Amino acid sequence: MSKPFASSTDLAAKTETLEVLADGVYALTAEGDPNVGAFEGEDFLVCIEARATPAAARDWLARLREHTDKPVRYLVLTHYHAVRVLGASAFDAEHIVASETTRKLIEERGEQDWASELGRMPRLFKQAEGVPGLTWPTQTFAERHRIELGGDRGALELQFCGRGHTAGDIVVWHDKSKTLFAGDLVEAEAALYTGDAFHFDWSGATLDRVKAFRAQILVGGRGRVARGTEACDAAIEQTREFLRTMIAQVGRVHAAGGGLREAFAAAHDALAPKFGRWPIFEHCLPFDVQRVWDELDGIDWPRIWTMERDREVWAQLQD
């Protein structure tokens, strides 16, 4: 295969930036690596996402401890992917919260996803040997869950907005600061990974529900923090544009009786001028196109990615 596999050769360290978004509201971004965050309750913390390993999570917690020494009571996971969840043990959280569907996905494909993502993005798995096993939520919910922060700090609303990046994504809304952690349902100038996605749902009603929060601060799964309603809307709409461009280009080739390789080339040509400079664009697109193709073939529930399937699809779609 002519191109290095996925992000296997992306080994350069990224600059991490901790931002205080509002009183007791934090986000850590890292030049397109997965974002994490936290909210201060009256006497506890709610952390958002866990990173890929306990060692990577401890690096984030050390930065957070420069601002607060409150214990972590809740760890919220927006979805099941390994780079978001396998560092959970570092938080010593009383409760690990996720959607019911996310728990089902961990049961169904957690082990395969772990191996797949380690192969695709080895740099994110700092001291991978320290991962004690799959991360299991201790609290799950179907549609909505509320966490009271206490005092005058307001509450967090955890909500399932519809199928999107996975079947079980949730967002975290803090009405007091108008801050939305959108997980990988929204990326701000970072490429989308859609290998487990529901493109038609996501690009329509799901993003409409995300936009309806009218966030003034939006932290996507990757990329910079969007500030101001206009910037938040722009992040949502560029996510939608990426999805709909893929649907249109892959759909055109599929309808004409073409093949997957032709569909990949069409999607790449259409997306690259605007999105090609974004982090992990080249890494993600082969897997994204394969999933769109599967949906057009009538495969509603995403097929499980394994190390072997990863390599097979990658090799099929490279020059």
Side-chain angles (χ1 to χ4, degrees):
M1 79 186 57
S2 58
K3 292 182 182 177
F5 174 67
S7 292
S8 60
T9 59
D10 176 13
L11 303 177
K14 305 296 184 183
T15 299
E16 297 181 350
T17 303
L18 191 151
E19 300 180 54
V20 181
L21 306 179
D23 180 29
V25 183
Y26 307 95
L28 189 76
T29 62
E31 299 183 303
D33 277 0
N35 295 335
V36 292
F39 292 89
E40 286 191 49
E42 190 171 22
D43 57 0
F44 62 90
L45 290 172
V46 180
C47 287
I48 315 298
E49 314 289 32
R51 293 190 135 182
T53 67
R58 286 191 291 270
D59 289 344
W60 149 232
L61 287 168
R63 299 287 303 275
L64 184 59
R65 291 307 180 202
E66 297 171 6
H67 296 268
T68 175
D69 61 0
K70 294 174 183 177
V72 180
R73 184 175 297 173
Y74 298 93
L75 174 61
V76 176
L77 306 175
T78 63
H79 61 287
Y80 81 96
H81 283 139
V83 294
R84 305 289 182 180
V85 305
L86 292 181
S89 62
F91 292 81
D92 294 321
E94 292 181 38
H95 308 287
I96 300 175
V97 187
S99 71
E100 290 175 2
T101 302
T102 288
R103 181 180 179 87
K104 292 174 183 176
L105 287 165
I106 293 169
E107 292 172 352
E108 178 189 58
R109 59 185 67 199
E111 291 283 358
Q112 296 96 324
D113 180 72
W114 180 355
S116 169
E117 296 209 341
L118 177 59
R120 293 184 190 181
M121 297 172 281
R123 180 177 51 78
L124 298 181
F125 287 81
K126 181 180 181 180
Q127 298 175 23
E129 69 279 3
V131 178
L134 291 175
T135 296
W136 295 100
T138 63
Q139 293 183 356
T140 61
F141 62 96
E143 299 288 338
R144 296 174 185 268
H145 183 75
R146 184 178 176 91
I147 298 175
E148 296 288 347
L149 296 176
D152 64 353
R153 293 188 174 274
L156 299 180
E157 299 287 347
L158 282 53
Q159 184 173 324
F160 173 69
C161 293
R163 302 192 305 180
H165 172 71
T166 73
D169 303 86
I170 60 170
V171 301
V172 181
W173 171 242
H174 184 229
D175 188 67
K176 182 173 182 181
S177 65
K178 305 300 181 187
T179 299
L180 184 70
F181 277 79
D184 279 334
L185 286 173
V186 179
E187 312 286 16
E189 297 187 9
L192 305 186
Y193 173 62
T194 72
D196 299 306
F198 299 82
H199 293 82
F200 298 88
D201 292 7
W202 185 2
S203 62
T206 298
L207 283 180
D208 288 346
R209 293 186 188 104
V210 173
K211 194 172 184 179
F213 283 98
R214 309 310 295 148
Q216 295 175 17
I217 302 171
L218 189 151
V219 184
R222 295 173 182 261
R224 61 179 176 77
V225 176
R227 298 173 183 269
T229 302
E230 184 176 345
C232 294
D233 285 352
I236 293 166
E237 291 307 322
Q238 70 190 18
T239 300
R240 195 191 312 265
E241 181 183 354
F242 190 104
L243 293 166
R244 288 188 168 169
T245 300
M246 276 205 301
I247 290 169
Q249 295 300 321
V250 178
R252 176 178 58 80
V253 174
H254 189 275
L260 183 65
R261 189 180 177 91
E262 182 185 352
F264 173 77
H268 191 284
D269 288 349
L271 289 166
K274 180 171 182 177
F275 303 106
R277 63 183 174 79
W278 289 5
I280 68 171
F281 173 79
E282 297 290 348
H283 163 165
C284 292
L285 196 62
F287 310 114
D288 296 353
V289 169
Q290 176 67 72
R291 175 55 189 153
V292 178
W293 191 271
D294 283 358
E295 283 195 280
L296 293 166
D297 275 346
I299 301 172
D300 180 66
W301 193 251
R303 292 190 283 159
I304 296 173
W305 291 101
T306 63
M307 289 189 295
E308 295 76 17
R309 184 168 175 243
D310 284 354
R311 298 276 177 170
E312 176 185 332
V313 169
W314 183 267
Q316 182 179 358
L317 297 182
Q318 302 307 317
D319 294 329

